Structure formats: structure tokens, C-alpha cells
Amino acid sequence: QVQLVESGGGLVQPGGSLRLSCIASGFTFRNDNIGWFRQAPGKEREGVSTIKYSTGTTYYEDSVKGRFTISRENAKNTVSLQMNSLKPEDTAVYYCNANRTTYYPSGFVRTEDYWGQGTQVTVSS
């Protein structure tokens, strides 16, 4: 059974920092896209940052560039999101996502998409 478990959320003052972690069980990160998404009350879920696990290639949504850093820890099968200079508008539930596409010689394509349960991040004074 595949599970993604997020941790590290909490309440922090504006300008503060938090580090989120996503640990996978039943699923070993390989050539996958691992991403952090967030959903604020009354808003749609949006992508924040992704990392191509095999190459380390990263992507950041414009509003978090220069403040957030995504990284991987191969030995721990973990992807982390370091969040600095947090703003009230960063308040949301943050979700970890793992997406894998496998191409078979027969032409069959299998896509796997897994989500964690989410962790609350609240930025408030």
C-alpha cells in the first residue's frame, strides 16, 4: 500500500520559516515528479513546487521563488520543502504528490498518482 505522509506544518509568524517533509512508504521514489501543492480556504488547489527525483530538476510557482526550496533525500525516500520569509498568503493545507508514468514495450502507459493527507500551514501574527 502506497502512503505519502507530510509533516512539519504549524503556526508561524510572518517572516518565519517552516520545513515540510514528505515521506513515502510502499513506493520508492525513482524517475518521478514529486510535488508540493497547497489549498487555501475557498480556493482551488495550486502547485507550489516540483522536483524530478532522478535529476533534481526543480520548478517553483512565481509567488514562492526565492523563498521556498524543494529538495530530496535519497537515503530517506523523502522530499522536503523549506519555506522561508513566510507570508500570510502562504496559509493553506500543503499536500505532497507523487506522479509516475511508466512506458511498457507493448505501448501500454501506466500512470500512478498519489497524494498525502495534507499538513496545515498557518502564517499569522
Side-chain angles (χ1 to χ4, degrees):
Q1 181 181 0
V2 176
Q3 277 193 313
L4 300 180
V5 179
E6 303 100 332
S7 63
L11 172 64
V12 64
Q13 292 187 343
S17 298
L18 285 173
R19 184 176 181 88
L20 306 183
S21 293
C22 174
I23 301 174
S25 60
F27 185 87
T28 301
F29 294 147
R30 298 199 299 263
N31 187 36
D32 308 307
N33 290 309
I34 313 300
W36 285 96
F37 293 72
R38 66 186 179 187
Q39 187 166 20
K43 294 188 177 182
E44 293 187 355
R45 190 173 297 188
E46 64 174 357
V48 174
S49 179
T50 61
I51 185 167
K52 182 77 171 182
Y53 200 81
S54 58
T55 64
T57 303
T58 59
Y59 160 83
Y60 297 95
E61 191 269 331
D62 284 346
S63 70
V64 307
K65 283 180 181 177
R67 301 188 298 123
F68 290 10
T69 303
I70 192 170
S71 61
R72 67 194 195 281
E73 299 177 59
N74 294 344
K76 297 181 179 179
N77 208 34
T78 298
V79 170
S80 298
L81 185 69
Q82 178 66 41
M83 306 187 295
N84 298 328
S85 303
L86 283 161
K87 305 175 181 180
E89 50 264 43
D90 294 318
T91 295
V93 178
Y94 283 70
Y95 298 90
C96 178
N97 170 262
N99 182 273
R100 173 180 295 171
T101 300
T102 305
Y103 300 88
Y104 292 88
S106 64
F108 177 73
V109 179
R110 180 187 183 194
T111 299
E112 299 168 78
D113 197 59
Y114 303 106
W115 291 90
Q117 82 288 348
T119 185
Q120 176 71 46
V121 171
T122 302
V123 185
S124 175
S125 55

